[in-house]
Amino acid sequence: MRTETLLVKTIIAALGRNLWVAAVAAGLGTVALGTAETAVADDDAATYLLRYDLNEGDVLPYEVTHVAKTKTSVRGKSQTSQVHTTSRRHWKVVRRNEDGTMVFDHVIDSVSMTQQNGDAEELRWDSESGEEAPPAFQLVASRIGQTLATVTVNERGEEISRENHGGTEASLGMGSLTLTMPEQPIAVGESWSVPREFKARTKDGLVKTIKIREKYTLDKVQTGVATLKVTSQPLTPIREESVRAQVVQQLSNGSLRFDVDNGRMIQKQLDWDENVVGFQGPTSAMEYRARMTENLLDSPTHTAARP
């Protein structure tokens, strides 16, 4: 595994996946979120129509923290790699079209990160320190203060178009850029699934498409906050452990919390705790532990100058 490439993709993917959800009341039997009804216990009979609601000029700043530890053992030799990244980024809504579609830019404002491979010296860099980034972090440094992508989505969160400006589309299981909402109003306890594909490489160097299903469940709606649970699983049979080692890092499991009154995500947490045996021979093993959190900031976004 090329650590520099993985690190760059991890950082940009962790920053580049954002989710805004507004629950809008519509239709007979649908509860209006953001009213006094959400301040009481959930009503089993209530349903909620989940829709994006972003308006021109909205700027949502977030802090993203990603911590990952990978331990591999191959032919009796073990190595541990660790990455810790804290970053700030924001989404700025460029416009809202008459058909309800929304266009927004994604910008990285600052990054602080560390990386260590085995016994090698730990690398550290903070974009706000004024110091030049180490070679391993140069690609990330070049993205600071730049718009990574301009994205258009509809009210359900389906991506209509995307113009990349130097970002990466790699998700690394951290959640897609937007979340596709269910077509119909949904009640607490009900679920919907979103399909996704991942390209894995076999031992023979071939590219294998792995179909993944991400299952979302509306866990509760209380005091203006909706909580979603997410789990994901591969649908394509996996017979090679080397492929499995790539896929486990793509599976999202965790929870998301939304301020439904104001139509924005306030928190996301995804966790990984995976073990794969035999990914490079019968005696090889891999342990992967990681956590990614994302929190809405109250203070205005400040974009650092690019080094």
Side-chain angles (χ1 to χ4, degrees):
M1 182 180 298
R2 293 178 296 177
T3 306
E4 293 182 11
T5 302
L6 175 60
L7 175 67
V8 169
K9 288 185 177 181
T10 299
I11 292 169
I12 296 178
L15 300 179
R17 310 308 175 211
N18 182 43
L19 208 53
W20 288 302
V21 180
V24 181
L28 186 63
T30 301
V31 170
L33 297 180
T35 68
E37 294 179 72
T38 61
V40 298
D42 295 323
D43 182 352
D44 291 339
T47 58
Y48 305 89
L49 184 63
L50 304 180
R51 292 293 182 265
Y52 283 69
D53 187 16
L54 305 177
N55 297 300
E56 183 174 340
D58 285 351
V59 177
L60 300 182
Y62 290 87
E63 182 173 84
V64 182
T65 300
H66 177 239
V67 181
K69 181 178 181 180
T70 305
K71 182 179 180 180
T72 58
S73 178
V74 180
R75 290 187 287 274
K77 295 183 178 181
S78 297
Q79 179 170 309
T80 300
S81 300
Q82 300 184 76
V83 174
H84 188 293
T85 304
T86 300
S87 54
R88 293 195 175 191
R89 56 108 175 116
H90 72 272
W91 291 79
K92 181 176 181 179
V93 183
V94 178
R95 66 181 179 274
R96 181 160 185 163
N97 300 317
E98 293 184 0
D99 61 0
T101 57
M102 294 149 280
V103 183
F104 48 85
D105 290 337
H106 167 231
V107 181
I108 295 179
D109 303 301
S110 64
V111 180
S112 175
M113 53 189 142
T114 65
Q115 171 195 356
Q116 185 168 25
N117 290 321
D119 297 328
E121 181 181 359
E122 183 181 64
L123 297 177
R124 290 178 175 267
W125 183 67
D126 188 329
S127 64
E128 296 186 326
S129 67
E131 299 177 355
E132 183 177 355
F137 299 156
Q138 285 288 343
L139 179 56
V140 176
S142 69
R143 303 294 189 254
I144 303 298
Q146 305 299 303
T147 299
L148 292 186
T150 300
V151 184
T152 301
V153 297
N154 63 17
E155 293 179 338
R156 287 186 58 222
E158 293 179 308
E159 188 172 303
I160 305 302
S161 65
R162 180 201 305 201
E163 182 182 359
N164 287 316
H165 307 293
T168 175
E169 297 187 46
S171 70
L172 294 169
M174 295 177 184
S176 57
L177 193 58
T178 54
L179 167 64
T180 301
M181 295 298 171
E183 295 185 12
Q184 303 299 326
I186 190 169
V188 171
E190 292 185 336
S191 304
W192 74 99
S193 296
V194 177
R196 182 163 62 89
E197 291 185 352
F198 167 67
K199 303 294 185 181
R201 191 167 294 277
T202 68
K203 291 181 179 179
D204 299 328
L206 302 176
V207 176
K208 181 179 179 65
T209 299
I210 306 296
K211 295 184 180 298
I212 297 174
R213 178 176 61 192
E214 294 178 332
K215 179 181 178 181
Y216 294 88
T217 302
L218 181 59
D219 187 54
K220 62 182 177 181
V221 179
Q222 197 169 25
T223 61
V225 175
T227 300
L228 301 176
K229 300 293 186 182
V230 57
T231 59
S232 56
Q233 65 179 120
L235 300 179
T236 304
I238 301 175
R239 297 180 176 85
E240 294 184 36
E241 294 305 309
S242 60
V243 173
R244 189 183 307 278
Q246 300 170 60
V247 173
V248 295
Q249 300 178 57
Q250 291 286 327
L251 305 181
S252 301
N253 295 281
S255 62
L256 307 95
R257 299 177 67 239
F258 299 94
D259 179 345
V260 295
D261 293 335
N262 295 298
R264 61 197 60 190
M265 184 188 73
I266 58 178
Q267 188 179 54
K268 174 164 65 173
Q269 177 175 311
L270 299 176
D271 293 287
W272 295 260
D273 187 356
E274 305 290 347
N275 295 281
V276 179
V277 177
F279 75 102
Q280 284 188 18
T283 62
S284 63
M286 183 191 80
E287 299 177 12
Y288 182 67
R289 310 284 182 266
R291 169 168 290 182
M292 193 276 284
T293 59
E294 187 172 359
N295 294 284
L296 178 65
L297 302 175
D298 294 327
S299 59
T301 297
H302 168 70
T303 300
R306 185 175 66 169

